[in-house]
Amino acid sequence: MARIVIVSNRVPTPGRRGVQPGGLAAALGDSLRPGTLWFGWSGRVVAETPTRAELVEHRGVAYAMIDLSESHYRGFYAGFANGTLWPLLHARLGLMEFERADLEGYVAVNRAFAAALAPLLRPDDLVWVHDYHLIPLGAELRALGVQNRLGFFLHVPFVPASIFGVLPCADLLLRALMAYDLVGVQSEQHRRDLRNAMDEILGARAAAGGRIYVGEQSTRIIANPIGIDAAGFTALAERAAGRREAKRLAESLVGRALIIGADRLDYSKGLPNRFEGFARFLHRYPEFRQKVSYLQVAALSRADVKQYQALRRELDRLAGDINGRFAEFDWVPLRYMTSALPRATLAGFYRMARVGLVTPLRDGMNLVAKEYVAAQDPRDPGVLILSKFAGAAERMADALIVNPYDADSITDAIARALTMPLAERQRRFETLAHEVRTVTAQSFYAAFCAALAGTPVRRLALAEKGAA
Ligand code: F6P
């Protein structure tokens, strides 16, 4: 069987337990097999970007990690990836900034990744590149003569062509995607949007087998939703429920119902809207005061990007407002924290929570929604409140679906969740749990690798063309 080579900006620190950066690393980590090579950024910023990656082996998986220079880091990560592409792909044009210098840094880092990765590749490797940080990597590898099958997966949403077209280098990025043999996105909606962008911006032509052509290059775009290790997460939640942290939380609740949210502190997560929905809930349903406690974990993220700093200030203010307005001497309605919690601790908290609030303004998938469901006790499950703009909503219609732009819809859903009869909670849980157990981290991984392995090999295609 071919070796799988994963490439992503973040690489989970081999052997580290507890908090790992982001759902991508956790979901891929759950499916890793010995023999895999995982290549990416070390997380370190140094004086100069080196030409070689440092290799570490852990449990049969090889990790190759490269440091970045300060200026590369700024242009690539804080600049183009998170200052331009992230807001664009989350349809927040007002927050998008574009500088040609950042784009140059982005391409330079992709080139440096390609140069350090190419010598590590074996001819039959299946190379699977992840997320918006690394769109040009495939084209950079091809420029170095790499002929392996190359796949790309976009973990974040895609946007309608008219929005993507606002990006001054929209055509350059779409062309770069054409260097991959297979491109995956989270949902049918995002697949349609990317396909349309290929048509409208590059004039792509459709061919047999779902492939598209732009000039001589061809690729296929598939929707392949990501999931979690559902059985593993359920077991984690069951164990965690008996641990010290869960007991401490339970004691502090003194019988009140727990509402939980856990997100990176990111403007795509809709946290101000969620806080507003909760404040209106306390206002419109005073009978619930003293009876609920809302814990929002908003783990600090990308703290050197100014939009994130502004959001943090806004949330600090809103949290203060809510507690100032509604708290009583023996009750604080909103517990808001910006430090991250280990996945196992969160799993125990999810199990205890009567309501899971997952209300992003836009999200590729959102694995918290799936983790919340997997953590529930089937005999007495909590209720998931889910934004219609999370990729997860496409296949999780039995959650209480809300439009997070309408704070009242969050308010109503909280009230409905807290009063939902057990039989309805169980019925909804069963269908949601079925989805979470069917579309898992493992099925995501296996389906993408199988589809990539099934794509035609480029060098043969080229050789055949030459012979014809
Ligand atoms: O899921 C989207 C994503 O950007 C991942 O690529 C990333 O690892 C995660 O969110 C966390 O973001 P960051 O790597 O910027 O901390």
Side-chain angles (χ1 to χ4, degrees):
M1 217 186 125
R3 179 173 73 157
I4 310 290
V5 176
I6 294 176
V7 193
S8 62
N9 176 51
R10 291 273 184 190
V11 176
T13 316
R16 188 173 85 177
R17 295 164 68 89
V19 184
Q20 291 279 3
L24 178 160
L28 291 177
D30 284 343
S31 318
L32 277 190
R33 277 191 305 255
T36 306
L37 170 65
W38 194 333
F39 182 99
W41 176 39
S42 64
R44 282 192 300 264
V45 177
V46 295
E48 203 168 321
T49 303
T51 51
R52 289 221 200 138
E54 175 201 339
L55 272 164
V56 183
E57 180 133 346
H58 183 72
R59 296 202 174 143
V61 174
Y63 295 86
M65 290 171 291
I66 186 166
D67 301 340
L68 289 180
S69 73
E70 171 69 35
S71 72
H72 272 162
Y73 166 80
R74 248 185 290 114
F76 161 74
Y77 179 80
F80 193 74
N82 289 317
T84 307
L85 278 183
W86 181 272
L88 172 75
L89 293 171
H90 289 84
R92 299 295 291 275
L93 290 183
L95 298 178
M96 181 182 118
E97 290 178 351
F98 175 81
E99 289 293 342
R100 288 184 184 186
D102 289 344
L103 174 61
E104 280 164 22
Y106 177 74
V107 173
V109 168
N110 275 270
R111 196 163 290 153
F113 266 44
L117 173 61
L120 305 178
L121 294 179
R122 301 175 193 154
D124 288 337
D125 284 346
L126 291 178
V127 182
W128 187 8
V129 179
H130 291 263
D131 232 355
Y132 59 100
H133 315 84
L134 299 176
I135 293 173
L137 185 68
E140 295 295 338
L141 286 170
R142 295 275 183 240
L144 295 175
V146 170
Q147 292 179 323
N148 296 60
R149 291 184 174 97
L150 300 181
F152 177 83
F153 193 83
L154 187 69
H155 288 260
V156 298
F158 201 78
V159 280
S162 56
I163 296 182
F164 194 72
V166 168
L167 183 69
C169 56
D171 56 339
L172 184 139
L173 292 192
L174 292 177
R175 261 178 230 288
L177 282 177
M178 293 299 302
Y180 294 98
D181 300 295
L182 182 70
V183 174
V185 290
Q186 303 273 21
S187 69
E188 277 303 324
Q189 173 75 62
H190 303 149
R191 189 192 62 75
R192 280 193 298 274
D193 284 341
L194 177 55
R195 211 21 254 280
N196 286 340
M198 288 289 193
D199 290 356
E200 287 183 25
I201 299 173
L202 293 189
R205 288 170 288 121
R211 300 193 70 78
I212 55 168
Y213 275 81
V214 173
E216 294 291 292
Q217 287 197 303
S218 103
T219 194
R220 190 156 77 95
I221 304 172
I222 58 167
N224 184 41
I226 198 168
I228 59 168
D229 170 13
F233 201 85
T234 302
L236 190 68
E238 282 166 2
R239 283 198 304 274
R243 291 236 177 89
R244 195 162 48 94
E245 292 80 4
K247 287 192 178 136
R248 272 175 59 198
L249 177 59
E251 274 164 24
S252 75
L253 289 170
V254 285
R256 294 180 177 118
L258 176 66
I259 302 173
I260 197 162
D263 308 77
R264 282 184 308 100
L265 197 155
D266 192 298
Y267 50 79
S268 64
K269 304 298 180 186
L271 294 171
N273 309 50
R274 199 182 298 176
F275 281 11
E276 177 60 25
F278 181 63
R280 290 188 195 187
F281 167 74
L282 296 175
H283 176 70
R284 279 183 29 211
Y285 298 90
E287 65 275 24
F288 277 103
R289 293 186 202 165
Q290 281 277 10
K291 298 216 170 61
V292 296
S293 190
Y294 167 23
L295 169 63
Q296 177 62 52
V297 181
L300 286 185
S301 180
R302 304 174 192 167
D304 49 359
V305 180
K306 70 172 188 283
Q307 288 88 347
Y308 290 73
Q309 295 162 1
L311 174 66
R312 187 179 182 186
R313 286 192 295 275
E314 185 185 359
L315 291 174
D316 285 353
R317 187 182 58 74
L318 289 172
D321 273 2
I322 292 174
N323 283 333
R325 261 175 82 195
F326 297 103
E328 295 173 22
F329 65 84
D330 59 349
W331 172 60
V332 177
L334 170 60
R335 304 174 184 195
Y336 163 62
M337 54 187 280
T338 56
S339 48
L341 288 175
R343 208 169 169 217
T345 306
L346 276 175
F349 290 3
Y350 292 157
R351 191 172 176 87
M352 205 185 290
R354 172 46 52 93
V355 182
L357 269 183
V358 181
T359 59
L361 300 179
R362 198 169 174 85
D363 221 330
M365 173 57 64
N366 198 302
L367 292 180
V368 173
K370 297 194 170 187
E371 290 180 343
Y372 177 76
V373 170
Q376 296 310 302
D377 177 351
R379 289 162 303 185
D380 185 19
V383 179
L384 174 66
I385 297 180
L386 181 60
S387 162
K388 65 191 286 192
F389 305 118
E394 204 165 77
R395 298 169 60 107
M396 294 179 81
D398 265 303
L400 293 185
I401 302 293
V402 296
N403 182 337
Y405 289 94
D406 174 12
D408 286 318
S409 86
I410 298 175
T411 304
D412 294 341
I414 294 174
R416 190 163 165 214
L418 288 168
T419 51
M420 190 179 284
L422 176 65
E424 183 179 352
R425 282 191 275 129
Q426 285 176 328
R427 184 188 58 70
R428 288 175 182 269
F429 166 76
E430 282 309 326
T431 41
L432 293 173
H434 177 74
E435 168 65 15
V436 171
R437 290 182 203 129
T438 310
V439 176
T440 60
Q442 293 84 352
S443 71
F444 161 77
Y445 193 97
F448 192 90
C449 290
L452 182 58
T455 58
V457 186
R458 284 205 176 206
R459 61 173 178 268
L460 290 182
L462 288 175
E464 277 162 13
K465 225 179 120 205

